């Protein structure tokens, strides 16, 4: 409906009804004199309630006044500049939180039991507080709070009894050369089957063992020293670090592999056998010694008593002469 406003301009009058606020009349005057054919209506409306100004002791709530645009049977909140400020209604007021502010006991959480096994005590914080109108709390003297003060101590039972953790012997170190780990089994012997995990012994620890860093390394066997009959073979035997390859002296002497071994290539013919020396003097007279030919084998040939064989005597004449010289000296 339309009526002539005191401003002598055509005004829109809207009958606005809301269950929360009652019936209100809102008057708006268009700010734009040249409007489209599809005219919009701009009204002030009470859209919602604000929170109470206090938490206790009596406060008030106010309605939120918003500018609304009505178009095509729809309403939307828009900027307040579209509605006339002089027509803006005052917010409605309601009393709220009228209950008086009061003193009360404030209790904290119970702390841990004083002992982990058996009967103990646990405590908590209990204070008297006063509620301010803004909802905050302040500590005050206990005498202002009514009723008995809640207990600050109570009995408790510790269930984590420390009935000895039982640990087995440490296992062998996982590495016999350098760093490794060794392990053991740890079990709880408490009859309840519950032990304090904070006191549990470790089940795995680092370890270091260098007892087997060095080991004997061997080379390939050489060819047999003789093409027929008995002979010897040799190879290189060294004590070496298994990781770095460095030479050392920490290998077990009792586990040292042999450096020499006998070899055999069948029986020699008669011509060779004729050369067997029956007298050291005969060897000295019939063979001109030019020195040892096999310095590696000669010592072993002398120790194995092989100098009496002419073949060995020829290759190791110097060593064998020394051997027979000592032998004859001992006889005299």
């Amino acid at each position: 409906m339309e009526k002539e406003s005191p401003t002598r301009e055509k005004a829109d009058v809207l009958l606005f009804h809301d269950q929360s606020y009652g019936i209100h009349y809102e008057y708006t005057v268009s700010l734009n004199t040249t409007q489209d054919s599809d005219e919009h209506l701009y009204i002030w409306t009470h859209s919602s309630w604000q929170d109470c100004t206090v938490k206790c002791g009596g406060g008030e709530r106010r309605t939120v006044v918003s500018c609304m645009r009505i178009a095509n049977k729809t309403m939307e909140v828009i900027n307040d500049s579209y509605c006339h400020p002089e027509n803006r209604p005052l917010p409605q007021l309601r009393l709220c939180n009228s209950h008086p502010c009061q003193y009360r006991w404030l209790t904290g959480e119970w702390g841990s039991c004083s002992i982990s096994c058996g009967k103990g005590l646990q405590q908590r914080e209990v204070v008297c507080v006063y509620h301010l109108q803004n909802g905050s709390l302040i500590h005050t003297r206990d005498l202002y709070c009514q009723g008995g003060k809640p207990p600050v101590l109570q009995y408790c039972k510790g269930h984590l009894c420390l009935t000895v953790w039982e640990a087995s012997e440490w296992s062998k170190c996982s590495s016999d050369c350098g760093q490794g780990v060794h392990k053991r089994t740890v079990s709880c012997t408490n009859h309840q089957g519950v032990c304090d995990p904070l006191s549990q012994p470790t089940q795995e620890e680092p370890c270091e063992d260098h007892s087997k860093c060095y080991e004997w390394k061997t080379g390939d066997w050489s060819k047999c020293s003789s093409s027929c009959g008995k002979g010897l073979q040799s190879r290189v035997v060294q004590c070496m670090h298994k990781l770095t390859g460095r030479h050392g002296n920490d290998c077990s002497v009792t586990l040292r592999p042999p450096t020499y071994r006998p070899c055999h290539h069948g029986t020699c013919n008669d011509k060779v056998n004729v050369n067997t020396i029956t007298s050291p003097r005969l060897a000295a007279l019939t063979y001109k010694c030019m020195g040892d030919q096999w310095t590696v084998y000669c010592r072993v040939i002398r120790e194995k008593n092989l100098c009496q064989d002419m073949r060995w005597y020829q290759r190791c004449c110097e060593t064998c002469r020394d051997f027979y010289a000592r032998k004859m000296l001992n006889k005299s």
Side-chain angles (χ1 to χ4, degrees), residues 51-75:
D51 293 335
C52 191
T53 55
V54 297
K55 298 295 182 180
C56 61
E60 62 181 16
R61 298 177 63 190
R62 295 172 178 265
T63 57
V64 178
V65 178
S66 303
C67 182
M68 305 285 291
R69 178 172 63 187
I70 303 176
N72 297 328
K73 299 181 181 180
T74 61
M75 299 177 63

Side-chain angles (χ1 to χ4, degrees), residues 17-301:
H17 178 267
D18 185 282
Q19 293 181 354
S20 301
Y21 316 124
I23 299 175
H24 309 285
Y25 289 93
E26 306 291 346
Y27 299 90
T28 63
V29 178
S30 175
L31 296 179
N32 192 351
T33 56
T34 60
Q35 295 181 339
D36 299 335
S37 57
D38 185 14
E39 293 185 350
H40 298 161
L41 296 180
Y42 301 95
I43 64 171
W44 293 104
T45 182
H46 302 270
S47 58
S48 61
W49 287 97
Q50 296 177 342
D51 293 335
C52 191
T53 55
V54 297
K55 298 295 182 180
C56 61
E60 62 181 16
R61 298 177 63 190
R62 295 172 178 265
T63 57
V64 178
V65 178
S66 303
C67 182
M68 305 285 291
R69 178 172 63 187
I70 303 176
N72 297 328
K73 299 181 181 180
T74 61
M75 299 177 63
E76 63 175 330
V77 178
I78 62 173
N79 191 282
D80 289 351
S81 61
Y82 284 87
C83 293
H84 287 285
E86 62 269 18
N87 293 335
R88 183 185 184 116
L90 295 175
Q92 291 190 349
L93 300 179
R94 279 186 181 176
L95 297 179
C96 55
N97 291 343
S98 57
H99 60 279
C101 298
Q102 59 182 351
Y103 297 91
R104 71 179 182 89
W105 294 107
L106 184 66
T107 59
E109 297 291 333
W110 286 107
S112 58
C113 198
S114 59
I115 60 176
S116 58
C117 178
K119 191 174 182 181
L121 289 173
Q122 58 185 164
Q123 59 183 1
R124 64 179 177 181
E125 185 180 12
V126 179
V127 294
C128 181
V129 297
Y130 179 70
H131 278 263
L132 297 178
Q133 284 190 330
N134 61 6
S136 59
L137 303 175
I138 58 172
H139 290 195
T140 185
R141 298 173 65 182
D142 289 355
L143 59 89
Y144 290 114
C145 285
Q146 297 180 353
K149 183 175 182 177
V152 296
L153 292 174
Q154 72 174 7
Y155 289 108
C156 58
K157 186 176 181 180
H159 297 287
L160 301 179
C161 293
L162 305 180
T163 308
V164 187
W165 287 97
E166 188 174 295
S168 65
E169 294 292 330
W170 286 109
S171 66
K172 186 179 179 181
C173 194
S174 60
S175 173
D176 55 11
C177 180
Q179 293 184 346
V181 293
H182 56 183
K183 301 179 181 180
R184 63 180 176 181
T185 302
V186 178
S187 57
C188 175
T189 59
N190 179 16
H191 68 280
Q192 297 178 347
V194 181
C195 291
D196 186 0
L198 297 178
S199 64
Q200 181 178 357
T202 57
Q203 295 180 279
E204 182 175 313
E205 285 187 354
C207 57
E208 193 169 349
D209 187 1
H210 297 276
S211 61
K212 294 185 178 180
C213 283
Y214 286 89
E215 58 184 359
W216 292 108
K217 297 288 187 180
T218 59
D220 297 331
W221 287 106
S222 67
K223 291 182 179 181
C224 191
S225 60
S226 176
S227 59
C228 67
K230 295 182 179 179
L232 288 175
Q233 287 178 292
S234 67
R235 64 180 177 181
V236 176
V237 179
Q238 296 176 313
C239 181
M240 301 178 68
H241 196 286
K242 64 170 60 176
L243 299 180
T244 64
R246 294 181 179 179
H247 293 77
N249 300 315
D250 294 334
C251 296
S252 174
V253 178
T254 58
L255 298 178
R256 179 188 173 97
T259 306
Y260 302 96
R261 71 178 181 182
C263 54
H264 192 273
H265 282 297
T267 304
C268 296
N269 54 36
D270 294 339
K271 291 182 179 181
V272 176
N273 292 334
V274 170
N275 290 329
T276 301
I277 298 174
T278 58
S279 170
R281 289 184 179 183
L282 178 62
L285 293 173
T286 58
Y287 182 76
K288 185 177 181 180
C289 182
M290 301 298 292
D292 292 340
Q293 297 179 14
W294 291 350
T295 56
V296 177
Y297 291 112
C298 289
R299 180 175 57 84
V300 180
I301 288 171

